[in-house]
Amino acid sequence: MTPAFQRNLARLHRFEDWVLTLLVLVMVVLAGAQIVLRNFFDSGFPWAEPVLRALVLWSAMLGAVIATRDDQHIGLDFIARFAGGTALRVARFVALAFAAALCGAMAWYSWALVQLDREGHTEGVIGIPAWMLELILPVGFGLMALRFLIRSVLPAKAHETLPETGA
Amino acid sequence: MIWVIVGLLILLAALGAPLFAILGAIALIGFHMAGQEGIAVAVEFYRLSDMPALIAIPLFTLAGYILAESKTPQRLVRLTNALVGWLPGGLAIVAVLACTLFTAFTGATGVTIIALGAVLYPALRQAHYGEKFSLGLLTASGSLGLLLVPSMPLILYGVVAQQFQTTPPVSIDALFKAGVLPCLLMVVMLGAYSAWHVRNVARPQAAPRGELMAATKDAAWEIPLPFVILIGIYSGKLAASEAAAATALYVLIVTVLIRREIKLAELPRVIRHAMVLVGGILVILGFSLALTNWLIDAEVPEKLFQFLRTHIPESNPFLFLLALNLFLLVFGMLLEGFPAIILLVPLVLPVAVRYGIDPVHLGIIFLANLQLGIFLPPLGINLYIASARFRQPVMTLVRAAVPFFLIMLAATLIITYWPGLSLWLAR
């Protein structure tokens, strides 16, 4: 990887982190405000419910993208306890290249879904057309495909352990 | 041809391919063979944004991760210690209770071992509890609490099970109610064994006067939390997703703005940790939504039932439950809690209903078994987490965990064969 590529990748990482933080904070505050409004003021935003559901999908997809770059996806990991060296590298390459291909296919199909809803002018929520809400699918799967390709040739990252909480 | 594909996918899974990719491949191939286009899989996956109960998962997970990184674990241990630490075996009971409450909030058993183990292990050793006993206790206690509100695996079971529109329905509130007594049973059995085991260890001195008051004051911000959630849900005032919203906002404000134990600049990292877990689970769930429809169309659960019926007659649900226990234990060990729920519920639930098992009771059976599988040798993940946390060889932890495993196995069998224990509060 060239230095310029790595720099851009790092920039992309930071961008993803910030978008995710923003989405999650909006989700927490909006969902919390909704409870307070409903229980104490007998009101609430009628649009909050569908927006929150969209936020769940968007933040989950971004979480999955970040999980890809950190080697944190859930899978069977016992091979690392039995194999090492070249065998492990080959296994890792095969497994992750397969994941990249699957994500590529999903990016393709979900892009087709976006196109379909765009042409059909499908309604989403509060005036946002459905295809815009669906955009996270091709974007997310596309980013994951790219990450899996990169990770497949690199050695596994050690799982980031939780920081020691006190003591 | 089909067996070549199946074999290939199993091989890929064994090589360490992410589980969601395996499921996605099965869904794409399955839809293709049923004459549908790949775009249909994308449509099914997008149903993730159409499940109102789902929001409880990111919100409770975030709250749990924020609590795990604050000083709440220490305050929790201090408070339970002031409350029950003076009993015989008090500190062991403290460990069991604190771990249970903590896992209920984070839903992640490994996090409990890491976060609470740091506080509890030195304390147990200092109180002259044996090394082996302390290690086994903490490894086992980590997975307690999965049955207690607001445990995220319980929510996940509800979300997956709701797709099947069983009668009686599986509401998340009903699951929360059903989990209380079984969880209590496990806590009491582990606590009693611990107190008996350390009967010869000198009893700790009673805490100095005023310690209970001080510990209560120290934890003043956290104490209302379980009560608001429990009362809110058990009274029917708050749905699970609403309780999650209230909890997440409250925890965020208290920890970041009032106590400032997590700096604003650290918040993105904590959010990222939580959402990496949630994202990893939800992509698996998304593809399993596609698969579930396909399974139902292909009548796979029905065929499975017809096949099973030739070996286990419908009149003998006990035998079915026994087989289910073994099956869940092994898969719980291989897959950990979350993916095991997402993958197995669509297959097992329709079959179990045909054997006359209440779907809410089935949820409790599922989680009780997964709790065990998580530290079942040789591959249970918590054995490895504890091994890394306490810097002990895995074999030491396996041996240390055996008595605790047997007690929880006994509890799981009671829970399985006594439906009333789960259903008494729920129905």
Side-chain angles (χ1 to χ4, degrees):
Chain A
M1 283 194 281
T2 63
F5 181 70
Q6 278 186 337
R7 239 190 346 266
N8 282 326
L9 206 61
R11 224 172 264 157
L12 183 63
H13 288 180
R14 266 202 306 280
F15 178 69
E16 287 166 358
D17 287 356
W18 278 110
V19 175
L20 178 65
T21 306
L22 197 71
L23 288 178
V24 170
L25 286 180
V26 170
M27 179 163 75
V28 172
V29 172
L30 184 60
Q34 187 76 348
I35 306 298
V36 174
L37 284 178
R38 190 174 315 153
N39 283 299
F40 296 106
F41 301 98
D42 247 340
S43 67
F45 311 113
W47 47 265
E49 197 60 31
V51 169
L52 282 173
R53 276 187 272 133
L55 279 172
V56 171
L57 178 71
W58 278 64
S59 51
M61 283 304 285
L62 272 177
V65 169
I66 296 173
T68 311
R69 78 177 196 227
D70 288 349
D71 282 335
Q72 295 263 354
H73 270 290
I74 300 169
L76 304 178
D77 58 357
F78 51 76
I79 182 141
R81 294 190 202 123
F82 299 122
T86 318
L88 189 60
R89 292 198 67 160
V90 171
R92 187 175 157 79
F93 174 76
V94 171
L96 296 194
F98 158 74
L102 184 276
C103 287
M106 280 309 294
W108 172 265
Y109 288 126
S110 41
W111 179 245
L113 175 66
V114 169
Q115 294 286 353
L116 202 70
D117 279 333
R118 213 164 124 186
E119 282 155 20
H121 300 286
T122 316
E123 268 185 60
V125 293
I126 53 161
I128 305 173
W131 67 267
M132 280 192 192
L133 298 174
E134 291 158 2
L135 262 185
I136 190 65
L137 294 187
V139 171
F141 280 118
L143 284 173
M144 280 201 266
L146 175 74
R147 294 296 161 65
F148 275 125
L149 269 187
I150 297 174
R151 300 298 319 158
S152 70
V153 290
L154 296 176
K157 275 188 196 174
H159 276 218
E160 215 177 314
T161 44
L162 265 167
E164 311 274 315
T165 38
Chain B
M1 177 63 189
I2 184 101
W3 293 111
V4 177
I5 296 174
V6 171
L8 218 58
L9 287 175
I10 291 177
L11 179 70
L12 281 166
L15 290 181
L19 215 52
F20 84 85
I22 307 280
L23 291 189
I26 300 175
L28 281 177
I29 295 168
F31 274 55
H32 180 75
M33 291 201 307
Q36 281 184 300
E37 302 215 26
I39 192 171
V41 177
V43 172
E44 292 287 332
F45 188 94
Y46 191 66
R47 282 206 293 141
L48 275 182
S49 71
D50 203 24
M51 307 175 98
L54 207 58
I55 193 172
I57 292 179
L59 291 178
F60 272 132
T61 307
L62 180 67
Y65 270 66
I66 292 178
L67 286 176
E69 298 230 0
S70 71
K71 297 234 181 313
T72 301
Q74 285 90 329
R75 283 190 289 267
L76 180 60
V77 170
R78 184 178 172 197
L79 181 62
T80 27
N81 198 18
L83 278 172
V84 297
W86 51 272
L87 290 168
L91 199 57
I93 298 173
V94 169
V96 170
L97 288 178
C99 286
T100 304
L101 276 176
F102 203 74
T103 301
F105 263 91
T106 58
T109 58
V111 175
T112 301
I113 293 179
I114 292 169
L116 283 183
V119 191
L120 286 169
Y121 185 64
L124 285 167
R125 297 289 290 128
Q126 216 171 21
H128 304 292
Y129 290 8
E131 179 182 49
K132 205 175 129 193
F133 171 81
S134 307
L135 288 172
L137 178 69
L138 290 177
T139 309
S141 302
S143 64
L144 282 172
L146 286 187
L147 289 173
L148 195 66
V149 58
S151 141
M152 153 147 121
L154 212 51
I155 301 173
L156 197 59
Y157 174 87
V159 168
V160 177
Q162 274 167 3
Q163 297 178 72
F164 290 89
Q165 288 158 357
T166 51
T167 41
V170 185
S171 75
I172 290 169
D173 306 3
L175 284 168
F176 280 162
K177 290 175 187 165
V180 177
L181 292 180
C183 181
L184 200 64
L185 175 75
M186 286 192 163
V187 167
V188 168
M189 283 176 73
L190 267 194
Y193 167 76
S194 303
W196 173 80
H197 186 91
V198 298
R199 63 197 178 283
N200 293 329
V201 175
R203 260 166 77 163
Q205 291 178 341
R209 200 199 285 252
E211 165 64 9
L212 180 59
M213 209 44 213
T216 309
K217 240 166 110 182
D218 194 25
W221 284 108
E222 281 96 346
I223 291 173
L225 210 48
F227 291 102
V228 169
I229 295 176
L230 287 172
I231 294 171
I233 287 178
Y234 291 134
S235 70
K237 278 236 159 54
L238 290 177
S241 55
E242 294 177 312
T247 307
L249 188 61
Y250 180 82
V251 167
L252 189 71
I253 290 175
V254 167
T255 313
V256 180
L257 296 182
I258 297 178
R259 281 203 156 126
R260 302 190 186 200
E261 287 178 343
I262 294 178
K263 293 195 198 76
L264 213 53
E266 288 173 23
L267 197 57
R269 181 180 52 82
V270 181
I271 288 179
R272 203 180 75 202
H273 273 298
M275 289 313 293
V276 158
L277 176 69
V278 172
I281 292 167
L282 291 197
V283 281
I284 298 178
L285 181 64
F287 284 115
S288 107
L289 291 177
L291 271 183
T292 303
N293 268 358
W294 177 69
L295 281 179
I296 294 172
D297 281 348
E299 293 180 336
V300 173
E302 182 59 29
K303 284 173 192 156
L304 188 65
F305 173 66
Q306 295 301 344
F307 168 77
L308 276 179
R309 203 162 65 160
T310 57
H311 298 276
I312 305 172
E314 274 162 285
S315 55
N316 199 347
F318 272 29
L319 196 58
F320 170 75
L321 285 175
L322 186 66
L324 182 66
N325 274 336
L326 284 174
F327 177 78
L328 286 179
L329 268 183
V330 172
F331 273 87
M333 174 184 79
L334 288 175
L335 287 175
E336 300 172 44
F338 308 123
I341 290 169
I342 297 173
L343 293 185
L344 299 182
V345 170
L347 278 176
V348 172
L349 179 76
V351 177
V353 169
R354 294 293 295 270
Y355 276 103
I357 291 154
D358 187 296
V360 168
H361 180 216
L362 182 72
I364 304 302
I365 296 176
F366 245 88
L367 284 177
N369 276 293
L370 295 182
Q371 281 187 330
L372 277 175
I374 288 170
F375 70 107
L376 176 68
L379 290 175
I381 185 77
N382 277 6
L383 292 169
Y384 294 85
I385 292 179
S387 155
R389 183 77 197 83
F390 304 120
R391 298 178 210 287
Q392 298 280 346
V394 174
M395 274 321 289
T396 307
L397 283 154
V398 170
R399 275 193 296 270
V402 166
F404 298 94
F405 184 85
L406 292 178
I407 290 167
M408 282 180 65
L409 180 66
T412 301
L413 290 176
I414 296 174
I415 290 166
T416 307
Y417 296 110
W418 184 12
L421 185 69
S422 307
L423 298 177
W424 187 53
L425 286 177
R427 296 277 181 229

